[in-house]
Amino acid sequence: MTRDIVTSDSSLAPSPDIVGGHTLSMFVNNKPGVLMRICQVFARRAYNLDSVVVSRGRDPQFSRLTLGISGDPAGLEQIIKQCNKLIDVIHCFEHDERESVTRELALVKVLIDPGDRAEVLQILEHFGAKTVDLGASSIIAMIYGNSEKVDAAVHLLSKFDIVETVRTGKVVMARGEAST
Amino acid sequence: MSTTNLDGAQALIKTLNDLGVEYIFGYSGGAALPIFDALETVSGNIKFVLSRHEQGACHMADGYARATGKPAVVLVTSGPGAGNTITGIMTAQMDSVPMIIITGQQVTWMLGKDAFQEADTFGLTMPVVKHNFLVRETNSLPRITKEAYHIATTGRPGPVLIDVPKDISQSEFTGDLDPDIDLPGYHPETAFEINADAVTRAAEIISHAKKPVILGGHGIMIARADDELMELATTLNCPVTTTLLGKGIFPETHELSLGMLGMHGTAYANKAMVECDLIINIGSRFDDRIIGQPEKFGALAKIIHVDIDPSEMNKMIHPDVEIIGDAKVVLQALNKQIAPLETSGWLANLDGYKQKFPLAYRKQGGLRMQQVLDELYQLTDGKAVVTTDVGQHQMWAAQFYKTNASFNWLSSGGAGTMGFGFPAAIGAQFARPNDIVVAVVGDGGYQMTLCELATAALHKLPVKVLVLNNHYLGMVRQWQELFFDNRESGVNLEGNPDFVKLAEAYGIKGFNIKRPADVGKVLQKALDYNDGPCVINAECVKTENVFPMIPAGAALEDMLVEPPKHKMAKPTGST
Ligand SMILES: Cc1ncc(C[n+]2csc(CCOP(=O)(O)OP(=O)(O)O)c2C)c(N)n1
Ligand SMILES: [Mg+2]
């Protein structure tokens, strides 16, 4: 029965409460304090970090960062240049939705009455989400995809009693031969 | 690696010596003990100067660097020692001055435990440095020291701090004393590869200009591109104005010079910026003190912006052509593509403004700072190295002490740090023992770092400290007079000491100037006195104001060339 409307990145409009929505990726030295330097660039210019994903690179000398940010778009060029200016930053790029893929994962805990369980499961199936914990009165769903898809799923689930959501924040990768 | 019989501290000092460091300015303390000891045990050419406050040590290193283009080192202890350097480091960072600061630190296993004199120096200084390091391995000290030197002195220069825990400095060193640096994210060499198309487009725009102005900044001095600037200006017949930090890159006595522009710049420089059809900005960051209101700046003009730092492009002003690169390389390329412009009408127009709005002052009704500075300029033939503090005296010094060569004008611009002038002069005098060095300071700022009188006296430095004493925090009083109905608040310096007696307490020669007629005579005596430092206290008119003035945030065309006749609204722009 699934009408899989959410397999491509752009099939759902972003939910209206998402502002900014710029995605930066950075390749940086894997050293103590690097994240602090980067955060100072943003905080000083009144930018908010919506999500931060850091992981060690394949070469452990370096780390990968994906930042979801919101703030005055006019200041973004300055932010990217200031990040690139940091000695510990190898490069910093902004990624365009069309030329990159972004994914994130969310865990959502919903309290459910037995009568609602079928509908919840149906919603999850529709979004290709997985049930990672199923109890008598609660369920933990794992939703993944682009941020809009995750937003949409969480939005539909919000008519039930969501008690907790934990999101990884988005990770990005440039399509084709471009580097991230 | 085999054992070198050195400890980390000795490896550090040896590396600094091999890098050619000549001076370390600093102040000792527990966490820095091994490093201070290494100063005694490692042979080399480094000279250590004990300041009387860590801020003073930073400004001395800063003055040394501004007077030579070469970096000096600051060495202090952890906690309060490191904390006292913050203002000095920030001052260097804001003005792109190379500096290496070495701070002692608690032992590694005590970090984060609030141990005695432990402070997060790495975190505290991060926003005010070009880069900083917390050393975690003794054997990395030579590499980190070389990296710090490289970062401080290349690209857009700046201060770099190395925090060295005591266990790291006193452990045995078993590493390589001359390792390669490893900075995969830092590529200052790209400043020498410039975009040829951008240069061609700039040359094309220049060829159509009828009313061009060159705006020269500190970047020209750092790149040592004064000759190329002269060639550009004289080939094009183009007037040149400079920023406060650019004073000296183009002789201010040259007929094409318009002097300094900006908030207290010359009327003709600011008029030129308003009326010109082309601004060629080389090595200036379009600071808020020179552009006034960004939306109105250069409204009639095309703008070419040359800067080594890509983040300066589009930060304040959107240029028509941006050229990222070293000023010297860019100017060499640009100079090959330009031809003389017909600017005689434009120059005549600007000459008219020079006649109509000259820098002038009154000699009646008391002694004015302007006169003291004017006579100092005449008596030294404009050849002194002049450092300034921050305030009215600084702006009048910029106006009346014309600067004809790079590295002769040392002033805290970006940070506007009171207390800078005197210690900076000490650093400059160490760097250039045979030049006349004059610290032009206000009675306010001088008192912030005058403990360094001991340092100057001890080394018998012939620094001349010219205290322009108006018994006020004059620049702030000026703003209160103009914008706050003359309500004085927190600006009266009653309680000032007798500066001549104070100097004498340090064994330093002191002079007083009280009357306009005495200026030349006393200054000459001070200039002839070279047995050590001297202090000249000039008792000046208390409530004089600096003009021209562009109220903060106002457009350049709204410049006041004389005291306003009507009440002024509070400025809305930058502070
Ligand atoms: C460390 C510091 N504190 C405060 C200020 C703000 N400030 C700028 S100019 C000035 C007055 C300076 O007075 P003085 O040194 O006597 O010089 P004058 O303006 O009287 O020539 C003050 C307080 C500053 N620039 N630096
Ligand atoms: Mg004063």
Side-chain angles (χ1 to χ4, degrees):
Chain A
M1 64 138 273
T2 47
R3 193 165 43 91
D4 202 352
I5 58 163
V6 286
T7 48
S8 87
D9 285 338
S10 53
S11 52
L12 273 178
S15 83
D17 52 332
I18 296 288
V19 289
H22 294 280
T23 312
L24 301 185
S25 74
M26 290 192 210
F27 196 53
V28 305
N29 286 330
N30 181 7
K31 283 188 190 162
V34 175
L35 195 56
M36 192 164 148
R37 294 184 203 280
I38 293 166
C39 290
Q40 284 184 351
V41 168
F42 288 84
R44 186 172 165 198
R45 295 170 179 82
Y47 267 69
N48 201 39
L49 294 175
D50 297 324
S51 66
V52 180
V53 183
V54 193
S55 58
R56 215 162 67 174
R58 256 204 323 154
D59 176 348
Q61 197 195 331
F62 301 108
S63 295
R64 278 276 173 205
L65 246 94
T66 310
L67 303 177
I69 57 172
S70 49
D72 176 11
L76 197 63
E77 172 186 346
Q78 196 38 226
I79 292 265
I80 293 170
K81 286 174 168 176
Q82 292 293 341
C83 287
N84 272 316
K85 191 164 145 179
L86 294 173
I87 311 290
D88 278 329
V89 172
I90 317 300
H91 66 235
C92 167
F93 299 131
E94 188 192 3
H95 288 284
D96 190 288
E97 294 266 316
R98 280 156 298 155
E99 281 142 29
S100 61
V101 277
T102 57
R103 289 292 182 272
E104 71 170 307
L105 182 147
L107 295 175
V108 183
K109 189 190 285 177
V110 190
L111 297 184
I112 38 174
D113 296 331
D116 289 335
R117 180 176 292 186
E119 190 182 349
V120 168
L121 292 175
Q122 198 184 11
I123 291 171
L124 296 182
E125 190 190 353
H126 172 81
F127 283 97
K130 290 212 160 61
T131 310
V132 290
D133 184 63
L134 185 62
S137 58
S138 72
I139 189 169
I140 299 178
M142 178 176 82
I143 307 162
Y144 58 91
N146 65 12
S147 303
E148 289 74 28
K149 172 177 158 181
V150 175
D151 291 341
V154 174
H155 181 67
L156 280 181
L157 289 173
S158 61
K159 72 183 238 199
F160 307 103
D161 189 6
I162 297 180
V163 286
E164 279 178 342
T165 56
V166 178
R167 294 171 72 147
T168 58
K170 51 192 172 181
V171 290
V172 70
M173 185 169 274
R175 292 181 194 272
E177 287 180 15
S179 57
T180 305
Chain B
M1 271 274 144
S2 59
T3 158
T4 54
N5 289 325
L6 298 178
D7 63 15
Q10 291 170 316
L12 167 69
I13 296 299
K14 192 167 177 346
T15 309
L16 289 173
N17 188 62
D18 293 348
L19 285 164
V21 169
E22 195 185 8
Y23 276 102
I24 299 182
F25 300 93
Y27 209 91
S28 60
L33 272 168
I35 309 176
F36 274 85
D37 192 51
L39 287 175
E40 297 298 318
T41 57
V42 176
S43 56
N45 302 319
I46 298 179
K47 295 176 276 282
F48 175 77
V49 175
L50 179 67
S51 67
R52 292 303 184 267
H53 187 291
E54 290 87 351
Q55 181 182 347
C58 288
H59 295 328
M60 288 176 201
D62 185 320
Y64 175 94
R66 289 188 208 230
T68 58
K70 293 188 295 183
V73 171
V74 175
L75 172 60
V76 300
T77 193
S78 63
N84 276 346
T85 64
I86 302 258
T87 302
I89 299 173
M90 173 193 67
T91 304
Q93 167 76 350
M94 289 293 272
D95 288 348
S96 309
V97 176
M99 184 183 293
I100 295 139
I101 307 97
I102 296 165
T103 50
Q105 180 56 283
Q106 253 296 349
V107 292
T108 313
W109 60 88
M110 283 293 189
L111 295 185
K113 294 180 182 159
D114 302 322
F116 180 63
Q117 295 193 333
E118 183 218 343
D120 179 7
T121 302
F122 183 66
L124 276 169
T125 56
M126 204 174 267
V128 295
V129 292
K130 183 169 174 188
H131 193 61
N132 62 4
F133 298 90
L134 171 55
V135 186
R136 286 160 199 277
E137 262 182 275
T138 301
N139 285 348
S140 66
L141 274 164
R143 176 181 51 79
I144 287 177
T145 306
K146 282 177 72 181
E147 288 175 356
Y149 190 93
H150 178 65
I151 293 168
T153 54
T154 54
R156 179 174 181 175
V160 180
L161 182 139
I162 312 174
D163 197 25
V164 189
K166 193 173 171 186
D167 55 318
I168 300 291
S169 58
Q170 84 191 350
S171 297
E172 191 191 355
F173 178 81
T174 56
D176 181 356
L177 274 168
D178 192 17
D180 289 337
I181 58 173
D182 178 23
L183 297 166
Y186 184 61
H187 295 287
E189 67 280 3
T190 55
F192 300 96
E193 303 151 14
I194 50 171
N195 178 341
D197 289 347
V199 175
T200 307
R201 263 182 294 131
E204 165 73 15
I205 289 182
I206 290 172
S207 71
H208 298 298
K210 299 204 159 46
K211 295 188 276 180
V213 182
I214 295 169
L215 162 54
H218 195 196
I220 290 183
M221 199 180 299
I222 296 168
R224 296 177 190 261
D226 315 41
D227 292 346
E228 289 78 6
L229 171 66
M230 179 59 79
E231 185 183 338
L232 178 75
T234 51
T235 308
L236 293 178
N237 302 311
C238 179
V240 179
T241 179
T242 75
T243 62
L244 179 74
L245 293 194
K247 262 175 75 77
I249 56 174
F250 190 80
E252 289 189 286
T253 47
H254 194 285
E255 56 181 7
L256 286 171
S257 173
L258 300 172
M260 178 180 82
L261 82 165
M263 183 173 279
H264 293 294
T266 65
Y268 31 95
N270 289 327
K271 290 268 186 200
M273 297 311 283
V274 173
E275 294 177 18
C276 67
D277 66 0
L278 172 66
I279 297 168
I280 310 171
N281 172 355
I282 307 154
S284 145
R285 62 187 169 86
F286 282 129
D287 174 75
D288 53 88
R289 281 285 185 279
I290 66 169
I291 60 173
Q293 207 176 331
E295 306 77 49
K296 289 199 182 162
F297 179 80
L300 308 175
K302 293 251 191 255
I303 297 178
I304 297 168
H305 191 180
V306 180
D307 204 294
I308 199 165
D309 180 353
S311 74
E312 292 303 343
M313 297 298 165
N314 296 322
K315 187 181 83 175
M316 303 299 294
I317 297 292
H318 295 280
D320 295 276
V321 179
E322 62 175 59
I323 309 177
I324 295 163
D326 175 85
K328 191 179 188 90
V329 179
V330 172
L331 282 175
Q332 282 168 347
L334 188 60
N335 283 343
K336 291 199 186 102
Q337 299 191 32
I338 51 162
L341 297 175
E342 171 36 45
T343 57
S344 51
W346 170 231
L347 292 174
N349 180 29
L350 295 176
D351 274 339
Y353 289 133
K354 285 186 183 178
Q355 307 301 325
K356 190 162 170 214
F357 306 111
L359 290 169
Y361 57 90
R362 293 198 356 217
K363 288 196 178 170
Q364 297 80 39
L367 176 60
R368 288 186 170 71
M369 294 188 186
Q370 300 93 306
Q371 182 192 336
V372 182
L373 292 160
D374 191 13
E375 295 204 29
L376 176 71
Y377 169 72
Q378 309 293 344
L379 290 173
T380 53
D381 214 7
K383 293 204 170 78
V385 176
V386 174
T387 76
T388 78
D389 218 80
V390 171
Q392 292 183 312
H393 65 280
Q394 175 191 32
M395 291 299 117
W396 278 315
Q399 293 176 349
F400 288 92
Y401 200 99
K402 306 225 180 317
T403 314
N404 286 334
S406 280
F407 307 110
N408 280 358
W409 170 261
L410 285 54
S411 194
S412 167
T417 301
M418 284 172 70
F420 171 83
F422 174 40
I426 293 176
Q429 188 77 77
F430 273 116
R432 293 168 55 177
N434 300 323
D435 288 315
I436 301 172
V437 177
V438 183
V440 175
V441 298
D443 48 326
Y446 177 45
Q447 292 185 71
M448 288 190 170
T449 48
L450 58 65
C451 55
E452 303 305 343
L453 282 169
T455 316
L458 178 69
H459 293 274
K460 285 198 169 303
L461 296 175
V463 172
K464 297 161 198 340
V465 186
L466 175 58
V467 187
L468 295 176
N469 190 349
N470 53 10
H471 298 263
Y472 266 118
L473 296 173
M475 186 56 95
V476 182
R477 191 209 54 75
Q478 172 167 351
W479 283 52
Q480 291 176 347
E481 180 184 332
L482 294 178
F483 307 117
F484 292 83
D485 299 324
N486 203 16
R487 266 188 307 283
E488 285 179 10
S489 177
V491 292
N492 193 329
L493 286 177
E494 60 187 344
N496 272 349
D498 178 329
F499 289 114
V500 167
K501 277 196 186 147
L502 186 69
E504 285 164 0
Y506 285 91
I508 288 174
K509 182 92 181 146
F511 301 92
N512 271 308
I513 305 178
K514 299 228 157 104
R515 296 181 311 141
D518 296 340
V519 174
K521 202 169 57 212
V522 179
L523 282 182
Q524 190 58 57
K525 269 196 218 153
L527 290 168
D528 292 341
Y529 177 83
N530 283 311
D531 290 341
C534 67
V535 172
I536 309 124
N537 174 57
E539 292 288 328
C540 299
V541 172
K542 293 174 82 170
T543 55
E544 178 84 353
N545 292 332
V546 187
F547 293 103
M549 177 180 193
I550 302 165
L556 267 51
E557 52 261 53
D558 299 329
M559 166 180 56
L560 304 166
V561 288
E562 55 186 32
K565 308 226 162 30
H566 51 90
K567 208 180 143 215
M568 304 282 298
K570 290 197 179 75
T572 52
S574 80
T575 58

